[in-house]
Amino acid sequence: MPKEHPHIVIAIDGPAASGKSSVARTLARKLRYVYVNTGAMYRAVTWLALEKGVPPLDAGRVQQLLHFTEMECGVRDGESTILLDGVDPTPHLVSEAVNGNVSAIASIPDVRRLLVKKQRAYAFDYDVVMEGRDIGSAVFPETPYKFYIDASAEVRALRRARQGLQDSITSRDKQDSTRRASPLIIAEDAHVIDSSNLTVEGVTGEIFGRLKQKGLPLGEL
Ligand code: C5P
C-alpha cells in the first residue's frame, strides 16, 4: 500500500449478482471494517443523470452535471453513504432504469476519476472492505488482499430473479468487461472464488482462511 493509505483494504470484485455484496458486508461486519459499496456510487450518479434528464451516453453533459453537484461520501453504521446535493438516492438505486443505464455512466472516464478519488479517500480514515469491479485492479492495486467472486451465469440470473429485480446482468457484464476505462478483469494476484455452490458463510470462511494465510491479524474470528 502507498504510505498515504495506511489502512487495510480488502478488495472484492466480480460480475453482477456473483454474491459479492452479501459477502463483503458480512466480512466487514465481522472484522469491524467499513463496508464500501462502489456500485452504489455509480448507481447514484446514474440516478442523478436520469433525474435531471441528462442522457447517460452524453459524457460531456454528465461531467458538467457532476461539476455542479455536491457529492458527499460518508459512513453510517459501518457502511458507505452518498448524498447528492443533500439528497440520499438509496431508495432508487436498484430501479430498472438505473440497472439499464449504469454501465454507460460507469464507462465515462471522468465519472470514474471522480469516484475513484472518493473511494481512495475512505482508506485515509478507515480499514475497509470495498466491493466493485476494479478495486483490486485499479483502485487499490497495491493491496495484498484481493478477491474475485464469480458464479455461473445460471446461478447469477437465478439470484437476481429471486430478489425480484429486473436486471439485464448479461448485457451489464458485457459492457463492464469490454469498456476501455478500468474494465472488469481478474487482477493477477486475486484469489478467485466460485460461489455457485457456496453459501455466504462458505465464501466468507474461504476468505478468512486466505487472509489468515496472508498474515492479516484476525483475532478470534
Ligand atoms: O455492483 P453493482 O452491480 O451495483 O454495480 C453497478 C454497476 O456499476 C456495474 O454494472 C458497473 O457498470 C459499475 N461499477 C463499476 N466499477 C465499480 C463498481 C461498479 O464500473 N467499481
Side-chain angles (χ1 to χ4, degrees), residues 7-11 33-36 122-123 126-130 140:
H7 287 275
I8 294 163
V9 175
I10 299 177
Y33 290 8
V34 168
Y35 162 61
V36 182
Y122 276 104
Y126 306 100
D127 292 330
V128 295
V129 178
M130 192 173 289
F140 291 104

Side-chain angles (χ1 to χ4, degrees), residues 20 38-39 42-43 102-103 106 112 132-134 172 176 179:
K20 62 188 186 311
T38 64
Y42 290 95
R43 287 173 179 273
V102 65
S103 292
R112 301 201 72 81
R133 300 292 186 289
D134 60 341
R172 225 152 40 87
D176 293 343
R179 68 179 176 225

Side-chain angles (χ1 to χ4, degrees), residues 10-193:
I10 299 177
I12 312 268
D13 291 301
S18 58
K20 62 188 186 311
S21 297
S22 313
V23 167
R25 183 178 271 123
T26 305
L27 209 58
R29 283 203 186 131
K30 288 196 172 168
L31 289 166
R32 296 178 192 276
Y33 290 8
V34 168
Y35 162 61
V36 182
N37 179 349
T38 64
M41 299 166 90
Y42 290 95
R43 287 173 179 273
V45 174
T46 307
W47 169 79
L48 179 75
L50 296 172
E51 190 69 6
K52 301 285 180 190
V54 170
L57 290 173
D58 190 334
R61 284 187 62 196
V62 172
Q63 189 194 351
Q64 199 183 23
L65 175 64
L66 280 182
H67 185 75
F68 290 107
T69 304
E70 195 192 338
M71 185 185 296
E72 284 173 75
C73 295
V75 173
R76 194 177 51 232
D77 299 332
E79 302 198 359
S80 57
T81 58
I82 186 165
L83 293 179
L84 297 169
D85 282 340
V87 176
D88 180 358
T90 307
H92 314 288
L93 298 187
V94 291
S95 70
E96 196 174 345
V98 169
N99 284 337
N101 288 285
V102 65
S103 292
I105 292 282
S107 68
I108 301 173
D110 282 316
V111 171
R112 301 201 72 81
R113 251 190 296 280
L114 175 75
L115 295 189
V116 166
K117 217 163 144 189
K118 304 266 183 198
Q119 291 156 15
R120 289 186 177 142
Y122 276 104
F124 285 118
D125 298 322
Y126 306 100
D127 292 330
V128 295
V129 178
M130 192 173 289
E131 65 141 308
R133 300 292 186 289
D134 60 341
I135 310 305
S137 60
V139 184
F140 291 104
E142 305 87 355
T143 183
Y145 312 117
K146 291 180 195 170
F147 298 88
Y148 186 95
I149 311 220
D150 212 343
S152 70
E154 294 74 27
V155 167
R156 294 191 293 115
L158 200 66
R159 282 179 185 160
R160 269 299 184 266
R162 283 206 188 117
Q163 291 166 332
L165 297 175
Q166 284 295 323
D167 189 0
S168 47
I169 55 176
T170 319
S171 117
R172 225 152 40 87
D173 287 344
K174 189 163 176 221
Q175 286 185 72
D176 293 343
S177 313
T178 53
R179 68 179 176 225
R180 291 180 79 167
S182 307
L184 169 67
I185 50 161
I186 305 178
E188 236 174 58
D189 51 341
H191 180 73
V192 180
I193 301 174

